[in-house]
Amino acid sequence: MILELDCGNSFIKWRVLDAAAKALCAEGVVDSDLALLESLKGIEGIALRKCRVVSVRTAEETGELIDVIEREFGVSVVCAKSAREMAGVRNGYEDYERLGLDRWLAMLGGFHLASSSACLVLDFGTAVTADYIAANGEHLGGFICPGMPLMRNQLRTHTRKIRYGDIAAERALADSAPGRTTVEAVERGCLLMLRGFVMTQLEMAKSYWGADFTVFVTGGDAGLVADIAPEAKVVPDLVFVGLAMACPFP
């Protein structure tokens, strides 16, 4: 069994694969190292042999998690690293090591699934990112903006009278009409900003490539914008696709 980990700023996304059958055994999302261990130990018959990790956390935080995995399951852990070029994709950053690993792997996965044609990769997590990869594999650059969690938390933190919970936020997004309560106004306003960002990215991609490109949508909040780009391919595990390419096991 292979354990794959995508360690983001807020959550750890994990999945366990049966290497022989090339099938998914289990998956989940947790908010701490302890919760990850509890989830993995709860899998009946788990027998990990290998582990690969992508992390945007600090080196210290990532190292602590790796130590726990190696100690608890007796496996060696391989971490994805930045590269100037890999799998036909050329990193477009002036300092390639400054490009977030999750973005890099999502680009590798998108370009691979697009059969090496031009693609736009949109990732909706704590932050929202957009990256452009030309048909020749050249990364043209990208954009980063706050995602829904960051936008709502900034308003909650810096505006004294804005106070509401996650359940209220979810209910507010059931409609898109102008809000008649604070939670509705905030949630729907943030959503409009997110959707506007997507529309701008699609127009920019069209200005580069006409209609000859593929859009990939990934991340926890991808469902909030899926209707804006109905032609887009929603790939929840796009980062894992790239992780397997960056850290292949024989």
Side-chain angles (χ1 to χ4, degrees), residues 44-79:
E44 184 176 354
I46 187 169
L48 298 181
R49 295 290 180 266
K50 301 173 183 177
C51 176
R52 51 192 169 212
V53 175
V54 54
S55 175
V56 297
R57 299 183 170 191
T58 66
E60 181 180 2
E61 291 172 326
T62 303
E64 290 175 353
L65 175 58
I66 290 174
D67 288 344
V68 169
I69 294 297
E70 291 182 336
R71 182 175 64 252
E72 293 291 334
F73 297 100
V75 298
S76 59
V77 179
V78 179
C79 284

Side-chain angles (χ1 to χ4, degrees), residues 139-168:
H139 174 220
L140 305 182
F143 298 95
I144 304 173
C145 75
M148 287 292 287
L150 283 179
M151 285 192 283
R152 70 165 61 98
N153 287 340
Q154 282 296 303
L155 286 169
R156 285 174 175 174
T157 302
H158 296 288
T159 308
R160 292 185 179 181
K161 292 187 177 181
I162 295 180
R163 295 288 185 273
Y164 59 85
D166 293 339
I167 295 178

Side-chain angles (χ1 to χ4, degrees), residues 124 147-152 155-156 164-195 220-227:
F124 299 89
M148 287 292 287
L150 283 179
M151 285 192 283
R152 70 165 61 98
L155 286 169
R156 285 174 175 174
Y164 59 85
D166 293 339
I167 295 178
E170 184 177 349
R171 290 173 179 167
L173 291 175
D175 195 347
S176 58
R180 296 174 66 86
T181 65
T182 297
V183 60
E184 290 178 352
V186 169
E187 290 297 313
R188 295 172 190 178
C190 290
L191 179 58
L192 285 177
M193 292 186 70
L194 197 65
R195 293 165 70 90
D221 283 333
L224 296 177
V225 298
D227 62 315

Side-chain angles (χ1 to χ4, degrees), residues 72-96:
E72 293 291 334
F73 297 100
V75 298
S76 59
V77 179
V78 179
C79 284
K81 297 181 179 180
S82 299
R84 192 176 301 280
E85 183 172 352
M86 182 179 290
V89 180
R90 290 182 296 281
N91 195 313
Y93 261 32
E94 294 178 0
D95 180 355
Y96 74 90

